[in-house]
């Protein structure tokens, strides 16, 4: 259960980073380079969160 909560937290953190960048870019000027970095970090966090959540399922299959 701990992996699912941690994975979900990391996925939600990634979504928060992407949505915050999108919100800020509408109100202040953010260069394309910074927007790309933040979007890349957000997508990376989401992928890592999904991998963390899948670790629990793989562990249960072997038991």
């Amino acid at each position: 259960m701990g992996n699912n909560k941690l994975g979900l937290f990391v996925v939600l953190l990634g979504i928060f980073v992407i949505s915050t960048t999108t919100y800020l870019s509408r109100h202040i000027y953010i260069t394309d380079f910074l927007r790309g970095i933040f979007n890349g970090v957000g997508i990376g966090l989401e992928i890592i969160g999904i991998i963390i959540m899948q670790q629990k399922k793989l562990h249960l299959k072997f038991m």
Side-chain angles (χ1 to χ4, degrees):
M1 188 74 168
N3 284 346
N4 284 338
K5 287 183 181 179
L6 177 65
L8 185 63
F9 175 75
V10 173
V11 168
L12 291 176
L13 184 64
I15 292 171
F16 178 74
V17 168
I18 292 173
S19 61
T20 303
T21 305
T22 304
Y23 178 76
L24 287 177
S25 68
R26 290 183 182 167
H27 296 288
I28 61 173
Y29 177 72
I30 297 177
T31 62
D32 291 337
F33 179 73
L34 283 177
R35 191 178 322 154
I37 287 178
F38 285 124
N39 285 341
V41 167
I43 291 170
L45 285 173
E46 291 174 5
I47 292 171
I48 290 171
I50 291 170
I51 291 171
I52 291 172
M53 286 192 290
Q54 292 296 324
Q55 292 295 325
K56 181 73 172 181
K57 292 178 183 176
L58 291 175
H59 183 261
L60 288 176
K61 287 181 181 178
F62 293 121
M63 291 183 110

